[in-house]
Amino acid sequence: MSSPGPMRARRRLLLGAASACLWPHAGAQPLPEQVPEQVPAPGPWVPALPWSVQGWRLSNGLRVLLAPRPGWPLVSLQLQLGLGSLLDPPAKAGLAQLLLDVLSRGRTAGGELAWAAESLGASLEAQTQSLGASLSLSLAAPRLHQGLALLAELVLRPQLPAAGLEAARQQMLERLREAQADPAALAQALGRRLFWGDSAAGRLATPASLGRIRREDLLALQRSQLSPQLSSLIICGDFEPGPLRALLERQWGRWQPGAQPGQLPTPVQARPLGSRSLWVHLPEAGQSVVQLLAPHAGLEAAADLPVAQLAQAVLGQGYSSRLGLEVRIKRGLSYGASSQVESLPGGGWLSAQAQTRHEGAAEVAGLMAAQILGLGQQAVPAEELAARRSSWLGEQQRRMESRVGLAAALGEQIQQGLAPESPQRLAARLQAVDAQALQAYAARYWRPEGLRRVVVGDLNLAGAGLRALDPGAWVLAARDLDLESPLLRHRSRRGAGGTPGPGGSG
């Protein structure tokens, strides 16, 4: 048995050192009884060193963006593909995600794709969004050429085995089951469905829609959308751009367009479901999730986008945003309240969310609505506007100072049809937005009749305040949800267990 003496001695030394720091030595000046609070004023935004993005198209139409940053030890590769969820057929929501999952499970000349990526010390991530999908690979800079060859193998010789389809389907089904029991994920899905309705943006993958997808559907989508003309390759990190040009043309120029003409997402228009509010009874939830939805500028409203970005920063970005201030800091009703936005062709939406105790759900929903509508009723003070502008720009700058964040930001800009922008150009656009423009934007987009509300939690503990907030709200049990239905419930069942069905009647 080893002696505990040295460890105890070391612990005593550490405690002694800590005590010396906590207690003043003899003759030291005593600490003041009260230290006055002095909160520093927000300083001006300081731009980072300028950087540039080099872009061109290969002979087959593949768009290439190079962002060389000397000194970064790692390189991030991101392949943007035209596989957005907006292209999913109405009865087969989840098709784009399923195709990407099967592709990323595929095989290469050297074996399994995941094994090949790990052998390079790399991490492969696949993600599907509304406007497109991405395959991302991060690896050490000396392995750049091998990483490029691995991604090229995936699109030059895509593999869609039947076994891979079933494995990916089962994994998606498991994720759906987990989301059904997660109040935050369930509220997010229901909010999208309630706001967008039966438009392409409101389609959600369900067990029924995934069950309708066959291998022939994946092959048809691959033939039309897996095309260099609909794709972009982004490379960020420490590399020499010159030698890459010839390599990329030799390696990726062999990728031929799909056998069928591809398509871009068409404009969407919100077709909200028949209720402005939805209360979902999930008795096993530890807390309630409150979500508010509102319209937002679409991609075609180019003049509104800088104003919309700043309005979002004032409302719900960060600890000191208005939602955070009113819900968390002043009242302690939540650990955090925030918002996010999505701009699509034809329109966009704002999603604000907070998690609170069940009894506080109605109060939080009312506070969040008041903050959203309040931006259109009164101009934001100059000091607050300057602080939130600096916060938003700082967040973007921090993101673009990492290779992964820069690749993601460039990918999002490409998906939205925007020219790649540096923080300097973003700053110039936001500096031109004043309080009057922000108020006019909020008054035009954020009106009471445009708001939608979702609360997921234990409705038996929420009290009468939630029903009073909207007497016409749909009230459903989580177990009765059917996300494909325009009523969000199984036609053969109504709310049970003390939770009345849509319209408020039991």
Side-chain angles (χ1 to χ4, degrees):
M1 183 174 177
S2 59
S3 171
M7 181 175 290
R8 289 179 178 172
R10 183 171 180 269
R11 188 174 297 163
R12 284 196 296 270
L13 288 173
L14 289 174
L15 291 172
S19 300
C21 295
L22 292 172
W23 298 102
H25 57 78
Q29 295 296 321
L31 294 174
E33 293 183 2
Q34 187 174 8
V35 179
E37 289 188 4
Q38 293 182 350
V39 180
W45 178 70
V46 179
L49 295 175
W51 48 268
S52 61
V53 176
Q54 304 177 23
W56 76 96
R57 288 188 181 272
L58 300 183
S59 58
N60 60 0
L62 175 66
R63 184 175 186 175
V64 177
L65 290 182
L66 302 183
R69 300 297 296 271
W72 280 356
L74 299 177
V75 176
S76 285
L77 312 178
Q78 186 177 101
L79 179 62
Q80 286 281 334
L81 301 169
L83 295 175
S85 60
L86 291 182
L87 299 176
D88 286 348
K92 297 179 180 179
L95 175 61
Q97 177 68 59
L98 196 56
L99 174 57
L100 187 71
D101 287 355
V102 177
L103 282 173
S104 61
R105 289 170 170 268
R107 297 183 61 84
T108 68
E112 295 289 342
L113 178 64
W115 180 89
E118 290 178 0
S119 69
L120 297 178
S123 59
L124 179 67
E125 296 183 3
Q127 185 178 24
T128 301
Q129 298 174 320
S130 298
L131 298 175
S134 63
L135 286 166
S136 302
L137 196 66
S138 295
L139 70 171
R143 303 268 189 159
L144 171 59
H145 290 193
Q146 293 167 284
L148 285 170
L150 183 62
L151 279 183
E153 176 80 13
L154 188 146
V155 295
L156 287 171
R157 282 173 287 275
Q159 302 291 319
L160 299 177
L165 167 59
E166 292 310 316
R169 194 198 314 268
Q170 291 304 314
Q171 190 175 56
M172 284 190 68
L173 288 171
E174 181 60 31
R175 290 200 298 265
L176 290 179
R177 284 190 287 268
E178 292 175 357
Q180 189 82 1
D182 180 352
L186 184 57
Q188 183 72 17
L190 290 169
R192 176 177 285 275
R193 189 78 177 90
L194 189 69
F195 181 87
W196 289 106
D198 289 329
S199 70
R203 295 170 192 156
L204 299 174
T206 66
S209 70
L210 292 178
R212 300 185 191 106
I213 296 174
R214 299 293 179 261
R215 185 169 180 268
E216 291 72 22
D217 299 315
L218 270 66
L219 291 171
L221 187 62
Q222 173 197 319
R223 286 192 292 266
S224 63
Q225 298 301 121
L226 200 63
S227 167
Q229 296 167 325
L230 299 176
S231 305
S232 300
L233 178 63
I234 303 168
I235 308 175
C236 302
D238 192 351
F239 57 87
E240 289 293 334
L244 275 186
R245 284 182 172 262
L247 170 67
L248 292 174
E249 185 63 53
R250 290 194 310 269
Q251 194 176 66
W252 289 78
R254 297 181 289 119
W255 184 13
Q256 295 303 308
Q260 301 173 2
Q263 59 178 321
L264 297 173
T266 57
V268 296
Q269 184 175 3
R271 295 197 287 268
L273 299 185
S275 176
R276 291 183 181 175
S277 301
L278 173 64
W279 314 145
V280 177
H281 183 50
L282 188 66
E284 61 268 28
Q287 289 189 316
S288 288
V289 173
V290 179
Q291 185 157 31
L292 266 71
L293 303 315
H296 182 69
L299 291 176
E300 70 286 345
D304 284 341
L305 290 179
V307 191
Q309 290 168 338
L310 191 52
Q312 147 68 6
V314 172
L315 178 67
Q317 178 183 297
Y319 179 84
S320 301
S321 66
R322 289 196 169 188
L323 289 177
L325 181 66
E326 294 297 325
V327 176
R328 176 181 180 176
I329 298 175
K330 287 186 177 180
R331 296 172 177 82
L333 292 170
S334 175
Y335 284 113
S338 61
S339 61
Q340 58 186 6
V341 292
E342 183 181 31
S343 293
L344 302 172
W349 68 314
L350 164 82
S351 171
Q353 190 175 92
Q355 191 164 317
T356 186
R357 56 190 176 85
H358 302 300
E359 296 82 356
E363 182 180 2
V364 169
L367 285 170
M368 293 172 70
Q371 294 309 308
I372 294 173
L373 299 175
L375 284 178
Q377 297 165 356
Q378 187 173 1
V380 177
E383 184 177 358
E384 180 185 4
L385 189 62
R388 303 317 301 157
R389 182 188 286 116
S390 295
S391 171
W392 192 91
L393 289 169
E395 178 67 26
Q396 295 302 309
Q397 181 170 303
R398 287 193 300 273
R399 185 187 188 196
M400 292 189 179
E401 284 301 315
S402 74
R403 53 182 177 73
V404 175
L406 177 57
L410 293 175
E412 291 169 5
Q413 291 168 2
I414 289 173
Q415 281 187 9
Q416 296 172 358
L418 305 174
E421 284 193 311
S422 67
Q424 287 78 13
R425 292 179 61 185
L426 288 171
R429 292 197 298 135
L430 260 68
Q431 293 293 350
V433 178
D434 58 20
Q436 289 70 35
L438 191 151
Q439 183 181 357
Y441 171 87
R444 187 164 73 254
Y445 281 91
W446 297 340
R447 299 171 178 268
E449 63 271 16
L451 295 186
R452 297 291 184 273
R453 302 180 183 90
V454 175
V455 172
V456 177
D458 189 336
L459 300 186
N460 292 330
L461 299 178
L466 193 60
R467 175 57 64 89
L469 193 63
D470 185 353
W474 286 354
V475 185
L476 294 172
R479 65 177 179 271
D480 292 334
L481 287 173
D482 179 1
L483 296 181
E484 292 189 334
S485 166
L487 295 177
L488 294 178
R489 64 179 173 88
H490 296 291
R491 288 184 174 86
S492 60
R493 298 182 64 182
R494 293 183 65 80
T499 59
S505 59

